[in-house]
Amino acid sequence: MNYYSTLVTNLIDELRRLPGIGSKSAQRLAFHIINMPEEHVEHLAEVLVKARKEIRYCKCCCTLTDSELCPICASPKRDHSTIMVVEHTKDLAAYEKTGQYEGVYHVLQGTLVPSLGKGPQDIRFKELEARLDDPDVKELILATGSSLDGEATAMYITKKVKPRGIKITRIASGVPIGGELEYIDEVTLSRALEGRIEL
Amino acid sequence: MNYYSTLVTNLIDELRRLPGIGSKSAQRLAFHIINMPEEHVEHLAEVLVKARKEIRYCKCCCTLTDSELCPICASPKRDHSTIMVVEHTKDLAAYEKTGQYEGVYHVLQGTLVPSLGKGPQDIRFKELEARLDDPDVKELILATGSSLDGEATAMYITKKVKPRGIKITRIASGVPIGGELEYIDEVTLSRALEGRIEL
């Protein structure tokens, strides 16, 4: 099947290994790259290698970053007494985009997955506990996902942290803004009902 | 908006410039790359740069390849008297996948686009004409797309090449296999009717 020549085939194969890239997309990407100015390709390659080499976990909140402390943990403008616990760096980004949150984060880099035997030692829970030793921490906001595993993780953290007497909250579940009721699953609807607030 | 750190943001931005990669996919790809083994990332980067550097147009058929002649033009097993004219290297690949074609190709690297003033000098038509000087060439199969521009290109080539007395054919248009008639546009249906064959 080498109708392209080895180099083109190699490039397509490499691109196809990336998540969400099928064989048609890999082909389209490959031809795009071949037609890009040479210095752009070199720049892209450099950014890839540099990112992989220099990115590490923030010493404090465990998000992916390129210095010892991520920009949020390093900022004196943030409220370091409120910690929002999220699963992944991209969840942190999602909350940052709202521009509504002033506190700091803790990125677990995963969730408990009881069905696969993934326990607290597989996520950044130990690091979270260490942070809670600081008496300045006033509130822990659990913002793990509303999947089974996200819920299990929130419950586990609650059970473990409760005795410390820190305020623990969970982000609200409910009907997404703009969501049509008829298309929303029953669990979400029940949650929305349970969590109703007085106006 | 630098909640990730410069390197992660740079990587996401670079990936987002690629065709068909939106901001969510770029983010997912970036995190995948950051979590890949370092030597895989280095390999990917190398393949990118190498492909861009070493890939060129086949001296004969103008497809993208990494040697002077592409594997098809260089093969003595192919029938060099039949040339199929396609728009892009990926069209050549699509025909090669059928395994039904024994001849060689000519890749125009585009089509005429009369509406944008893109003329014969903008595609590899001069190179095609040069190949037709070889008296061994018996048939030219026009396999440009069935878009307006593809049709215009096929018509242009026919007009120019006809006087040479070489047999010129056009791939059939019609209903795709497995296609439901009701979902097929009228132009295709008319073509299918015009091109009907006796059984």
Side-chain angles (χ1 to χ4, degrees), chain B residues 156-186:
Chain B
Y156 177 84
I157 296 175
T158 309
K159 205 181 74 189
K160 284 288 190 182
V161 175
K162 202 81 190 173
R164 290 175 183 260
I166 295 169
K167 182 178 170 189
I168 304 178
T169 55
R170 177 89 171 106
I171 52 164
S173 307
V175 178
I177 303 303
E180 298 259 17
L181 283 195
E182 60 174 324
Y183 298 121
I184 292 168
D185 66 289
E186 300 93 62

Side-chain angles (χ1 to χ4, degrees), chain A residues 81-93:
Chain A
S81 70
T82 306
I83 302 179
M84 182 188 285
V85 178
V86 295
E87 296 178 11
H88 298 286
T89 300
K90 59 178 185 277
D91 304 325
L92 173 160

Side-chain angles (χ1 to χ4, degrees), chain A residues 140-172:
Chain A
L140 201 62
I141 303 173
L142 301 178
T144 52
S146 50
S147 66
L148 220 59
D149 296 335
E151 292 286 357
T153 309
M155 275 172 59
Y156 177 83
I157 297 176
T158 309
K159 205 181 72 189
K160 283 289 190 184
V161 175
K162 201 82 190 169
R164 291 176 181 258
I166 294 168
K167 181 177 172 189
I168 304 180
T169 55
R170 177 91 173 105
I171 51 163

